Amino acid sequence: MEDTVLVVNCGSSSLKLALFDNQHRKLVSALAERLGQSDAFAHIDGQEGTIPLDAGAGHDQALDTLVTAFRDVGLMTTAPSAIGHRVVHGGETFHEAVLIDGDVLKAIESCAGLAPLHNPVNLSGIRATLAQFPDVPQTAVFDTAFHQTLPRRAFLYALPEAWYRDWGIRRYGFHGTSHAFMASEAARLLGKTPATTSVISAHLGNGCSITAIRDGISVDTSMGLTPLEGLVMGTRSGDVDPGLFDFLRSKGIAADEVHRVLNQESGLLGLSGQTNDMRSLCELADHGHEPSQTAIDVFCFRLARYVGAMMASLSQLDALVFTGGIGENSPRIREETIRHLKLTGFELSRDLNIHHGQFSDGHIESPDSRFPVLVIPTNEELVIAREAARLAGSDIQA
């Protein structure tokens, strides 16, 4: 099989692969989980069972195992023509996707301090793939790149200017590939060009962010220096008072413990005391579990408040867009969020909100809504595949 693109997405203990053909159709995807642990395993979508990995297997073994499995089922008979990697943080160095070389690897490594949980493992996946396919052009696609168009008033914190100048402390934003996809897909559904389309894009999953997109470019976003800032998320707190750190230090809680709790034990999980899964929270709330209902209430109110805030960066609004696992699949969250936005003129159609999956145009607003409201499934892997194909100069459709 010729002219395929392999997309690689490395997490701290996981490796996701997806293979696209020359019409940017996904042929197969796979996931390796619990890397570095004794029970590491891999799974190929559409196949029964799992593939065991050696105890302590890393990204390199997971990559080798999954590539071999792709070959065994006849989906990767030759090397891919291009490989695309998701990289979380590109700092101010990278404003767009780039072909990977030695200088790019060094620059990604230099941004590790801004994303210590992400960039090192992204590099592990890149190095493993370079070893496996040394002659294939490989591209880094950055979560932060789409947001490099933010104006200074949106990306600067009210901190000593030297902190930005010397250390790069500023708002960077994340989920850029998802928000970029929303910009283009919303324009298509609205019958406009991306350069004339302005939307508010809400990416809601275990990680959540919202972005104001004016004339196709990002002009404001909720995540900041790190992916911790902004909306309530699955296990991340989102916005908190910085004074919290001094208060907790007075209680004997060290900074690294605060960091761990804010990232891993807060958000929906912390508020509910039960789970970070929105589906489970809704079930618990329906059965009278008040902390779960509280978690939903806080999530929706914070989201609605940010929708209002994003309007300050726009001169017109063509649509509010929901995407991500929660945004695409939870009518309840969409309804409860919009309920807080009466003054802005948003109105949902109850039937369209519940049954939007039966309609191809994505619209869920009522005829009385001041603005369109869309539900659009995100496709970050496709964005990465297109960028990798474009930079590699392959025959895959961009």
Side-chain angles (χ1 to χ4, degrees):
M1 184 173 297
E2 298 179 353
D3 293 322
T4 58
V5 173
L6 182 66
V7 173
V8 182
N9 183 354
C10 286
S12 58
S13 60
S14 65
L15 171 71
K16 296 179 183 178
L17 295 184
L19 189 67
F20 289 80
D21 69 8
N22 62 4
Q23 299 295 316
H24 52 74
R25 295 172 300 205
K26 187 188 292 186
L27 299 172
V28 65
S29 59
L31 172 66
E33 297 186 81
R34 300 177 185 171
L35 299 181
Q37 302 178 38
S38 59
D39 56 349
F41 68 93
H43 173 71
I44 297 177
D45 287 354
Q47 294 192 6
E48 294 184 1
T50 61
I51 305 169
L53 300 172
D54 293 343
H59 293 89
D60 52 351
Q61 187 198 331
L63 177 72
D64 183 67
T65 299
L66 289 175
V67 167
T68 298
F70 285 179
R71 287 171 175 156
D72 289 344
V73 296
L75 289 171
M76 192 183 254
T77 56
T78 62
S81 57
I83 298 174
H85 295 267
R86 179 202 179 204
V87 179
V88 168
H89 217 306
E92 290 191 309
T93 304
F94 298 104
H95 293 237
E96 59 185 356
V98 294
L99 286 170
I100 295 171
D101 59 18
D103 290 338
V104 169
L105 288 174
K106 290 177 183 177
I108 294 172
E109 192 168 15
S110 73
C111 294
L114 296 170
L117 301 179
H118 299 92
N119 275 34
V121 294
N122 297 156
L123 282 168
S124 295
I126 291 172
R127 289 180 173 127
T129 313
L130 287 170
Q132 178 85 242
F133 301 104
D135 299 322
V136 176
Q138 306 201 24
T139 295
V141 181
F142 299 90
D143 278 13
T144 51
F146 182 64
H147 302 296
Q148 284 297 300
T149 52
L150 294 180
R152 288 175 70 85
R153 64 176 180 268
F155 76 67
L156 283 177
Y157 292 117
L159 297 169
E161 191 273 339
W163 290 12
Y164 166 60
R165 184 184 66 241
D166 298 340
W167 300 330
I169 295 177
R170 53 157 287 183
R171 180 181 307 283
Y172 288 99
F174 298 88
H175 295 140
T177 51
S178 179
H179 291 301
F181 185 76
M182 289 307 104
S184 62
E185 277 296 287
R188 183 182 66 81
L189 291 171
L190 294 166
K192 304 185 69 174
T193 64
T196 61
T197 303
S198 296
V199 300
I200 295 173
S201 170
H203 176 105
L204 310 176
N206 192 49
C208 300
S209 67
I210 188 167
T211 294
I213 301 170
R214 186 175 66 221
D215 298 331
I217 66 171
S218 173
V219 291
D220 197 6
T221 192
S222 58
M223 284 182 167
L225 175 72
T226 74
L228 184 59
E229 188 180 357
L231 302 174
V232 174
M233 304 176 226
T235 63
R236 282 174 266 177
S237 64
D239 293 342
V240 295
D241 183 343
L244 174 69
F245 290 85
D246 283 340
F247 177 82
L248 291 175
R249 185 172 60 180
S250 74
K251 301 296 182 183
I253 302 178
D256 58 349
E257 176 67 4
V258 176
H259 181 270
R260 185 187 65 80
V261 172
L262 292 181
N263 277 281
Q264 300 177 23
E265 296 181 6
S266 297
L268 295 173
L269 175 62
L271 286 167
S272 70
Q274 295 290 317
T275 179
N276 63 321
D277 186 284
M278 186 61 79
R279 294 163 298 186
S280 299
L281 284 174
C282 290
E283 291 176 3
L284 287 165
D286 288 342
H287 286 85
H289 188 253
E290 290 188 11
S292 293
Q293 183 60 57
T294 297
I296 294 169
D297 292 343
V298 173
F299 182 94
C300 293
F301 176 72
R302 183 81 66 84
L303 173 59
R305 192 166 69 181
Y306 260 100
V307 170
M310 290 295 133
M311 288 180 137
S313 292
L314 302 175
S315 56
Q316 68 174 45
L317 179 62
D318 294 308
L320 169 63
V321 182
F322 289 94
T323 192
I326 296 172
E328 296 166 28
N329 299 306
S330 181
R332 178 177 187 162
I333 296 305
R334 296 191 296 265
E335 180 181 357
E336 294 193 17
T337 299
I338 295 298
R339 190 178 297 133
H340 292 296
L341 293 167
K342 290 292 185 183
L343 284 178
T344 62
F346 290 103
E347 294 284 349
L348 294 187
S349 161
R350 185 176 184 276
D351 287 343
L352 290 178
N353 184 42
I354 293 173
H355 303 295
H356 78 88
Q358 300 174 19
F359 303 92
S360 60
D361 67 359
H363 286 265
I364 61 170
E365 76 275 5
S366 75
D368 297 329
S369 184
R370 182 182 175 191
F371 304 104
V373 183
L374 304 176
V375 178
I376 301 176
T378 192
N379 198 334
E380 297 169 90
E381 292 174 336
L382 177 59
V383 174
I384 295 171
R386 286 172 171 169
E387 288 289 85
R390 178 180 66 85
L391 289 174
S394 79
D395 293 330
I396 291 182
Q397 300 291 322

